[in-house]
């Protein structure tokens, strides 16, 4: 009974200040909407960035330990010698290189683990690329084409030439778009790669790919054996192994298992890109804080309306007190008014936010799109963000109404009556 | 036993830059159930102040006020508020209706605030009361759609809503012309006679005081006999 009556009183008080109430709700709605849109944008950016990485980068990378010490994969050791580290095929150069020796054994052991879909060994090497037109340093990656394709899916990202041509001929190179641009070279044209030790590959460009990940697009892919020759590595040495997991949520568990079993260094895609994800988080937090300030400002609007109502309604408040409204009930009345303003604003803001996010999802995202298909802004909306934002707006409005409500509750009925009657 | 009894009631009000002003000084009086009492006196003598104290709107500085055996002076704000709702009805010179609510809703307000009946019962009671004060055809009018006399009748109906022990009116006709004054006083007298309603009216109109059963005269914060 009482709540319904309070609600009725609150409603009519606000209706009496229609213009100001609506303006205030609009302020709250604007804050809520902007916060929702910014959140959706930030999350969308993160999601699409993650998707790109997850699709085109290995989920896990295994490399050797620093210092050139070759350790046998522990799982290969006989039982009873747990944790023993055996020096294997030390090439005698404490050079800081982190190669994996005997990689076929590691590959075999790793392949036995559940949850992995691809294991692709690679040799990374810094070379000088030379064409008829240009000479520039290039980061080359020696791979087994079939395996590497299953990790990064390059065959689906070919712009010119063909991946099959590259896979078929060890004398060819698959060039990232950026590298191709730098070297000013295209499919079918000659490309010479010169290693630091003087080894040379006189090759030919078979394909140009573009992934959207700059670091990858600046690389040259060559065959594993060719890279080993350029680096003067024995056939069983590789720089590392790139792995793809069947399920993303298993990556962390796989990392621990792999590290324990092999004694090698294992990094997940999230660790590799940790600094970027951290940056995303920081930018997101800063933007959201700015918008939260907007909602706080809207809270001042709510306090303003309520102060107006309290001042204009002193007589009514005294009357309510004289017919039996306790202080607490007057307090409750004005808190309800604040909440009503907040609720109206939050609901309108959520609706506007939803409409804005949906519409913005059709805006073409600038930059280039790899496959010619129309890329649009990714707006990531979720119920939790909506609920959280609305609760925040309600809380702000509630807090903003505490001051005016206390003031109203503190009015002594006789003070106003005296002023009116004598 | 009397319904209302004041013993040595004193009220002082703080005045900036001066010692507190003594508005009422040792007022004692008693009112029996069913009495119609007029409180009269010169302007500024303390009539309104006394009525607010007797009606539980304010606390005295000293003294006791017993309504039906309960000492209002010793009650805290919350208890006093609930008591006002149950047992005391007020009528003011400037009727103080809630402007956003209809006549019917204004009369229902004290009943709903008490929370002792259903909304339906409250509505029926408010309708009856408005009928009694001759406003059966004005139930859904807003205060601004009513004349001054009609508004005052609505506020009398509101004061009676919870069947109060005591009806307090502070110059209820102060704002009305002679005809309307007659009508309001008739209404109060009828309530007093037919329903044995105890009424306290502050007035400085002799015509009103003459029709009351008893007159208490306040001069300089004291009861003059
Ligand atoms: N807030 C206040 N502070 C100090 N003195 C006050 C205050 N309010 C009223 N007074 C004084 O108290 C005295 C009594 O006031 P009260 O309103 O009770 O008189 P009254 O008899 O009702 O007068 P009237 O017939 O004009 O309505 C007056 O002298 C007035 O000046
Ligand atoms: Mg007075």
């Amino acid at each position: 009974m009482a709540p319904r009556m309070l609600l009725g009183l609150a409603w009519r008080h606000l209706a009496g200040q229609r213009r100001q109430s609506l303006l205030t709700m609009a302020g709250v709605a604007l804050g809520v909407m902007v916060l929702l849109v910014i959140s959706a944008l930030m999350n969308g950016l993160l999601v699409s960035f993650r998707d790109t990485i997850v699709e085109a980068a290995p989920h896990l990378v295994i490399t050797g330990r620093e210092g050139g010490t070759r350790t046998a994969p522990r799982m290969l050791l006989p039982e009873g010698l747990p944790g023993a580290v055996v020096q294997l095929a030390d090439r005698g150069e404490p050079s800081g290189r982190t190669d994996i020796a005997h990689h076929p054994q590691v590959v075999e052991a790793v392949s036995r683990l559940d949850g992995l879909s691809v294991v692709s060994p690679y040799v990374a090497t810094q070379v000088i690329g030379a064409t008829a037109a240009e000479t520039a340093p290039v980061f080359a990656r020696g791979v087994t084409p079939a395996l590497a394709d299953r990790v990064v899916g390059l065959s689906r990202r070919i712009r010119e030439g063909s991946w099959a041509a590259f896979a078929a001929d060890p004398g060819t190179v698959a060039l990232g778009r950026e590298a191709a641009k730098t070297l000013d070279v295209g499919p079918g044209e000659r490309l010479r790669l010169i290693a630091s030790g003087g080894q040379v590959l006189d090759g030919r460009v078979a394909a140009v790919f573009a992934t959207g990940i700059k670091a990858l697009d600046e690389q040259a892919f060559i065959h594993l054996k060719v890279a080993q020759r350029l680096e003067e590595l024995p056939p069983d040495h590789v720089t590392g192994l790139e792995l793809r997991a069947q399920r993303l949520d298993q990556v962390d568990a796989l990392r621990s298992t792999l590290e324990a079993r092999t004694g090698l260094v294992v990094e997940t895609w999230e660790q590799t890109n940790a600094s970027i994800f951290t940056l995303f988080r920081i930018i997101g937090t800063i933007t959201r804080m700015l918008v939260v300030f907007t909602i706080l400002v809207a809270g001042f609007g709510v306090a303003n309306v309520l102060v107006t109502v309290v001042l204009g309604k002193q007589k009514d408040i005294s009357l309510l007190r004289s017919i039996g409204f306790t202080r607490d009930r007057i307090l409750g009345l004005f808190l309800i008014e604040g909440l009503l303003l907040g609720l109206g604003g939050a609901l309108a803001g959520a609706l506007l936010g939803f409409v804005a996010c949906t519409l913005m999802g059709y805006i073409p995202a600038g930059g280039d799109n790899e496959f010619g298909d129309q890329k649009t802004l990714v707006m990531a909306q979720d119920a939790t963000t909506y609920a959280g934002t609305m609760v925040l707006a309600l809380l702000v409005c509630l807090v903003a109404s505490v001051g005016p409500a206390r003031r109203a509750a503190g009015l002594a009925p006789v003070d106003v009556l005296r002023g009116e009657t004598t | 036993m009397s319904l209302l009894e004041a013993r040595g009631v004193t009220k002082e009000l703080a005045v900036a830059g001066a010692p507190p002003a003594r508005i009422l000084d040792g007022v004692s009086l008693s009112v029996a159930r069913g009495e119609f009492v007029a409180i009269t006196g010169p302007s500024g003598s303390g009539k309104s102040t006394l009525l607010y104290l007797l009606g539980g709107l304010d606390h005295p500085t000293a003294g006791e006020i017993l309504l039906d055996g309960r000492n209002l002076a010793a009650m805290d704000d919350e208890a006093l508020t609930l008591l006002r709702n149950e047992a005391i009805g007020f009528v003011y010179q400037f009727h103080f209706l809630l402007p956003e609510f209809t006549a019917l809703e204004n009369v229902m307000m004290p009943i709903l605030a008490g929370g002792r009946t259903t909304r339906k019962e409250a509505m029926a009671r408010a309708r009856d009361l408005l009928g009694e004060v001759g406003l059966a055809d004005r139930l859904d009018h807003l205060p601004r759609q009513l004349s001054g006399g009609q508004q005052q009748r609505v506020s009398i109906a509101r004061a009676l809503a919870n069947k109060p022990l005591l009806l307090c009116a502070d110059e209820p006709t102060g704002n009305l012309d002679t005809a309307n004054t007659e009508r309001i006083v008739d209404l109060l007298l009828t309530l007093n006679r037919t329903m044995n309603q105890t009424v306290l009216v502050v007035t400085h109109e002799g015509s009103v005081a003459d029709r009351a059963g008893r007159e208490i005269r306040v001069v300089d914060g004291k009861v003059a006999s």
Side-chain angles (χ1 to χ4, degrees):
Chain A
M1 187 109 301
R4 179 167 167 191
M5 182 182 49
L6 285 184
L7 209 60
L9 274 166
W11 179 260
R12 297 205 196 180
H13 277 176
L14 295 178
Q17 307 282 332
R18 182 166 300 142
R19 186 211 278 287
Q20 214 186 343
S21 299
L22 285 177
L23 268 175
T24 301
M25 283 197 250
V28 175
L30 196 72
V32 167
M33 181 193 85
V34 174
L35 184 52
L36 287 173
V37 168
I38 297 264
S39 293
L41 263 177
M42 296 301 304
N43 286 338
L45 218 56
L46 184 60
V47 165
S48 58
F49 180 75
R50 280 176 72 117
D51 285 352
T52 314
I53 289 182
V54 167
E55 222 187 300
H59 296 163
L60 293 147
V61 176
I62 306 181
T63 51
R65 290 210 176 272
E66 198 118 0
T69 311
R70 318 282 175 237
T71 59
R74 282 182 203 146
M75 63 203 309
L76 301 180
L77 294 174
E79 293 290 325
L81 277 174
V85 176
V86 176
Q87 300 271 342
L88 276 179
D90 194 325
R91 290 166 76 218
E93 37 161 6
S95 59
R97 290 201 55 105
T98 56
D99 297 340
I100 300 176
H102 300 287
H103 81 269
Q105 282 147 284
V106 181
V107 169
E108 207 216 284
V110 164
S111 301
R112 269 189 254 128
L113 280 177
D114 286 334
L116 289 172
S117 57
V118 192
V119 180
S120 166
Y122 72 94
V123 170
T125 169
Q126 185 71 46
V127 297
I128 303 288
T131 64
E134 295 285 345
T135 303
V138 182
F139 189 78
R141 179 177 290 263
V143 296
T144 310
L147 291 175
D149 184 36
R150 288 178 58 203
V151 174
V152 295
L154 282 184
S155 65
R156 281 175 284 125
R157 292 158 188 276
I158 300 299
R159 309 291 300 280
E160 299 169 75
S162 103
W163 178 262
F166 165 66
D169 183 356
T172 59
V173 180
L175 260 190
R177 184 178 47 180
E178 300 294 325
K181 218 178 274 173
T182 310
L183 291 168
D184 192 16
V185 68
E189 292 173 21
R190 296 191 154 279
L191 173 62
R192 169 177 282 200
L193 299 181
I194 307 153
S196 53
Q199 296 286 337
V200 169
L201 165 69
D202 266 316
R204 192 179 291 277
V205 176
V208 175
F209 62 86
T211 60
I213 303 176
K214 196 158 182 280
L216 214 52
D217 290 346
E218 284 172 342
Q219 294 187 18
F221 276 69
I222 54 180
H223 282 243
L224 187 67
K225 289 214 163 55
V226 177
Q228 282 169 331
R229 179 170 65 75
L230 289 176
E231 276 288 288
E232 297 173 54
L233 288 175
D236 59 352
H237 277 238
V238 293
T239 309
L241 305 175
E242 294 184 333
L243 317 179
R244 212 170 160 80
Q246 277 155 6
R247 283 175 40 192
L248 269 189
D249 56 0
Q250 290 177 341
V251 167
D252 282 328
L254 280 170
R255 192 195 75 85
S256 327
T257 315
L258 285 167
E259 207 157 55
R261 295 273 187 98
T262 63
L264 297 168
V265 179
V266 186
E267 208 178 58
T268 67
W269 64 283
E270 280 179 316
Q271 291 171 320
T272 311
N273 298 287
S275 57
I276 299 172
F277 287 126
T278 308
L279 192 67
F280 263 108
R281 256 198 299 281
I282 293 172
I283 295 174
T285 309
I286 292 173
T287 336
R288 275 182 206 125
M289 290 214 343
L290 286 175
V291 184
V292 166
F293 274 116
T294 320
I295 294 184
L296 289 184
V297 171
F300 279 104
V302 170
N304 194 33
V305 178
L306 292 188
V307 167
T308 310
V309 172
V310 170
L311 287 180
K313 292 288 179 195
Q314 292 199 17
K315 262 175 26 177
D316 293 23
I317 295 166
S318 299
L319 177 87
L320 291 171
R321 296 278 284 118
S322 88
I323 64 170
F325 276 59
T326 58
R327 286 206 169 110
D328 287 349
R329 206 175 264 192
I330 297 290
L331 189 78
L333 170 64
F334 286 94
L335 293 183
I336 288 177
E337 293 186 21
L339 279 176
L340 277 180
L341 289 171
L343 193 67
L347 286 175
L351 194 71
L352 286 175
F354 179 74
V355 171
C357 286
T358 310
L359 290 180
M360 283 173 75
Y362 291 105
I363 296 178
D368 11 64
N369 31 19
E370 270 72 57
F371 317 103
D373 53 342
Q374 189 71 21
K375 253 198 186 172
T376 54
L377 280 183
V378 178
M379 306 294 289
Q381 307 183 61
D382 61 287
T384 319
T385 308
Y386 273 76
T389 307
M390 289 171 72
V391 167
L392 174 76
L394 282 182
L395 275 181
V396 167
C397 293
L398 186 65
V399 170
S401 52
V402 167
R406 287 177 58 117
R407 189 183 172 144
L411 277 177
V414 281
D415 289 343
V416 183
L417 296 174
R418 265 210 193 90
E420 289 287 327
T421 51
T422 50
Chain B
M1 194 192 88
S2 54
L3 174 71
L4 177 69
E5 186 153 353
R7 292 182 194 147
V9 170
T10 296
K11 181 66 181 177
E12 290 177 353
L13 285 172
V15 178
R22 179 163 290 203
I23 315 293
L24 291 176
D25 192 2
V27 171
S28 295
L29 57 82
S30 93
V31 176
R33 196 179 294 266
E35 264 197 293
F36 191 118
V37 178
I39 299 174
T40 61
S43 181
S45 57
K47 306 182 295 293
S48 295
T49 306
L50 177 60
L51 190 74
Y52 296 157
L53 288 173
L54 298 177
L57 279 170
D58 203 0
H59 283 97
T61 311
E64 286 183 340
I65 298 162
L66 299 167
L67 175 69
D68 206 22
R70 282 178 285 182
N71 184 9
L72 310 192
M75 288 184 173
D76 66 9
D77 185 80
E78 169 136 5
L80 211 48
T81 305
L82 298 177
L83 179 80
R84 282 198 300 271
N85 177 258
E86 265 177 49
I88 302 164
F90 292 93
V91 179
Y92 304 100
Q93 181 176 353
F94 301 95
H95 20 77
F96 283 140
L97 298 175
L98 297 176
E100 304 92 352
F101 291 84
T102 64
L104 188 70
E105 289 168 329
N106 266 285
V107 177
M108 286 167 68
M109 203 61 76
I111 312 178
L112 294 179
R116 290 177 292 270
T117 62
T118 65
R119 198 177 175 84
K120 214 170 165 172
E121 287 166 352
M123 195 177 286
R125 166 111 182 115
R127 203 184 300 259
D128 288 350
L129 283 167
L130 282 169
E132 269 174 53
V133 301
L135 291 170
D137 55 346
R138 295 285 189 277
L139 300 182
D140 296 322
H141 284 55
L142 291 172
R144 68 180 134 80
Q145 297 165 328
L146 297 169
S147 75
Q150 289 171 334
Q151 291 187 44
Q152 198 57 298
R153 280 186 272 152
V154 174
S155 76
I156 290 172
R158 179 183 62 198
L160 296 169
N162 282 331
K163 300 180 182 147
L165 292 173
L166 184 64
L167 179 66
C168 298
D170 192 357
E171 310 205 22
T173 58
N175 243 13
L176 303 175
D177 58 26
T178 332
N180 271 309
T181 300
E182 281 297 302
R183 186 151 189 194
I184 296 291
V185 176
D186 284 348
L187 177 59
L188 291 176
L189 280 168
T190 311
L191 290 168
N192 174 247
R193 248 177 252 131
T194 60
M195 296 159 66
N196 203 31
Q197 175 69 54
T198 313
V199 182
L200 277 183
V201 187
V202 168
T203 184
H204 51 221
E205 283 169 86
S207 64
V208 178
D210 290 346
R211 299 178 67 183
R214 178 153 70 107
E215 180 177 342
I216 295 178
R217 210 172 150 67
V218 179
V219 178
D220 278 344
K222 290 191 172 108
V223 174
S225 39

